[in-house]
């Protein structure tokens, strides 16, 4: 099934079930008012939501309405926790090689992760508002999973059973602020503003054979200002599966239902597939030409992030945003 949230009913939105082809929807408030409420009682709400989804896709629901992406908030407008990884080591390897550094051996056995911004997510059509172009505005196209309640100390095999929803995120980064923050030795803060989630989140069964080994095996397609930017394969070169990432986070603490876990920027060893963030593209250019030629984003720039199935149909809907300055 596919789930989304309307921009109504308060800051956590109103839960809706969306048709497989992303054209129709129906409210699910009689089951759970919000997606977070559904996740809090997932064993009871999931079967009822799935039954509603089946009826909607069969054209048997009274009250179905045409879906307008502009009406959607993020599926989870705010989450209790968002932890992001860097599971695609080709990206890490290239970035370090460009500055003459080696990748620590531990990176191949121990996931690199950080605590990300979760108090608010942008909707799939909301603008990326940044105070200054000088901050080095970058997109990061990633896959995310959403869990139910995860006990502390789960194994990866156990963690796999707690992955309930899958989606996309534009993990906005301000590259000009990152070096100074990391130099303090205390992680990201101002360099990580709010990110945007895909229009819908889907259950693993919706992905069929494209979801196995706790990885999504489809290309991540990105465009900048209407031009192709990349289509790195999400299932290739992912060093750690989502089950491993969830287990890593839960090693010393339980995770609350609604926790979002990110893959990190999708990147492949094959640079011919393009990139999923500007920093990656600039690194490839630096290694090839001695300096980057692709600029970071400016006000008015437009981005699009999407994954389609083998038949070309959008699975999660597209994240489409424009970079803008704050309103005066």
């Amino acid at each position: 099934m596919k789930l989304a949230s309307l921009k109504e009913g308060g800051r956590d939105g109103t839960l809706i079930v969306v048709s497989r082809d992303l054209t129709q929807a129906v409210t699910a408030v009689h089951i759970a008012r919000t997606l977070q409420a559904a996740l809090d009682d997932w064993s009871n709400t999931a079967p009822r939501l799935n039954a509603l989804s089946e009826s909607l896709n069969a054209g048997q629901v009274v009250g179905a309405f045409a879906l307008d992406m502009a009406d959607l908030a993020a599926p989870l407008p705010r989450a209790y926790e968002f932890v992001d990884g860097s599971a695609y080591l080709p990206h890490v390897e290239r970035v370090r090689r460009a500055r003459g550094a080696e990748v620590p051996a531990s990176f191949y056995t121990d996931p690199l992760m950080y605590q990300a911004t979760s108090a608010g997510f942008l909707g799939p059509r909301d603008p990326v508002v940044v105070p200054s172009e000088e901050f080095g505005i970058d997109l990061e196209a990633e896959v995310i999973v959403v869990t139910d309640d995860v006990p502390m100390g789960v194994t990866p095999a156990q963690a796999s059973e707690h992955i309930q929803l899958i989606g996309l995120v534009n993990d906005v980064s301000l590259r000009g602020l990152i070096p100074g923050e990391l130099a303090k030795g205390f992680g990201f803060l101002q360099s990580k503003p709010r990110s945007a989630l895909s229009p819908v989140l889907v259950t693993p069964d919706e992905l069929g054979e494209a979801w196995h080994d706790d990885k999504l095996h489809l290309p991540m397609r990105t465009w900048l200002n209407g031009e192709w930017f990349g289509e790195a394969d999400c299932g290739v070169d992912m060093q750690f599966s989502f089950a491993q990432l969830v287990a890593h986070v839960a090693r010393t603490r339980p995770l609350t239902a609604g926790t979002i876990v990110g893959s990190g920027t999708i990147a492949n060893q094959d640079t011919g597939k393009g990139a999923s963030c500007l920093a990656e593209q600039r690194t490839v250019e630096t290694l090839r030409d001695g300096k980057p030629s692709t600029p970071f984003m400016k006000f008015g720039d437009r981005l699009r992030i999407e994954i389609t199935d083998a038949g070309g149909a959008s699975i999660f809907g597209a994240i489409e945003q424009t970079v803008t300055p704050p309103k005066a």
Side-chain angles (χ1 to χ4, degrees):
M1 62 182 165
K2 300 189 176 187
L3 303 175
S5 295
L6 292 174
K7 287 182 174 180
E8 60 179 50
R11 66 170 63 189
D12 292 314
T14 296
L15 177 62
I16 59 173
V17 174
V18 177
S19 63
R20 196 162 284 119
D21 63 4
L22 304 179
T23 63
Q24 298 287 308
V26 62
T27 59
V29 293
H30 61 291
I31 299 173
R33 188 179 65 82
T34 67
L35 180 53
Q36 182 60 56
L39 288 162
D40 286 339
D41 192 24
W42 192 247
S43 62
N44 291 318
T45 60
R48 297 173 64 195
L49 289 168
N50 191 62
L52 182 58
S53 174
E54 292 299 319
S55 297
L56 176 64
N57 284 300
Q60 299 172 347
V61 170
V62 176
F65 56 89
L67 183 67
D68 185 343
M69 296 295 181
D71 293 335
L72 297 181
L76 275 171
R78 55 178 174 170
Y80 286 112
E81 194 161 14
F82 175 26
V83 284
D84 202 11
S86 188
Y88 293 87
L89 292 190
H91 174 69
V92 178
E93 291 167 347
R94 280 193 284 268
V95 168
R96 286 182 169 259
R97 188 163 73 248
R99 66 172 190 256
E102 296 289 330
V103 177
S106 63
F107 281 27
Y108 295 92
T109 58
D110 194 36
L112 183 65
M113 304 189 76
Y114 73 96
Q115 198 84 31
T117 302
S118 65
F121 287 93
L122 302 174
R125 299 293 185 273
D126 291 346
V128 178
V129 181
V130 180
S132 172
E133 293 178 332
E134 300 305 313
F135 289 169
I137 308 164
D138 200 353
L139 71 135
E140 287 191 58
E142 305 182 18
V143 178
I144 59 162
V145 299
V146 182
T147 73
D148 58 11
D149 288 302
V150 182
M152 180 174 65
V154 291
T155 65
Q158 293 167 333
S160 177
E161 299 301 314
H162 292 281
I163 295 172
Q164 304 301 348
L165 296 168
I166 301 156
L168 310 180
V169 66
N170 174 23
D171 179 37
V172 181
S173 292
L174 303 180
R175 300 294 182 184
L177 303 182
I178 287 177
E181 291 200 317
L182 294 186
K184 297 178 180 179
F186 219 52
F188 303 115
L189 185 66
Q190 295 176 346
S191 52
K192 286 289 184 177
R194 290 185 172 182
S195 298
L197 298 182
S198 53
V200 305
L201 301 178
V202 312
T203 48
D205 61 284
E206 284 288 333
L207 299 169
E209 292 300 314
W211 179 260
H212 60 87
D213 302 324
D214 297 299
K215 300 177 183 179
L216 180 57
H217 295 264
L218 288 169
M220 175 71 77
R221 295 193 165 97
T222 55
W223 294 263
L224 285 176
N225 296 318
E227 296 186 1
W228 179 90
F229 185 69
E231 51 184 293
D233 195 309
C234 301
V236 176
D237 300 316
M238 189 179 187
Q239 183 75 9
F240 304 100
S241 72
F242 277 107
Q244 289 173 301
L245 295 179
V246 172
H248 178 78
V249 179
R251 182 186 180 193
T252 59
R253 64 179 190 256
L255 305 183
T256 300
T259 292
I260 297 174
V261 179
S263 65
T265 304
I266 313 301
N268 295 156
Q269 293 289 357
D270 180 5
T271 58
K273 294 182 178 181
S276 300
C277 73
L278 291 162
E280 166 80 4
Q281 179 63 26
R282 288 167 60 88
T283 297
V284 170
E285 292 164 351
T286 298
L287 291 170
R288 184 190 64 212
D289 307 324
K291 62 180 181 180
S293 54
T294 299
F296 288 117
M297 299 183 78
K298 303 295 184 183
F299 296 144
D301 282 352
R302 296 171 288 108
L303 64 92
R304 180 184 176 97
I305 297 169
E306 188 174 27
I307 288 181
T308 57
D309 62 20
S314 184
I315 297 174
F316 309 97
I319 298 173
E320 297 183 47
Q321 298 182 277
T322 301
V323 179
T324 65
K327 292 183 179 179

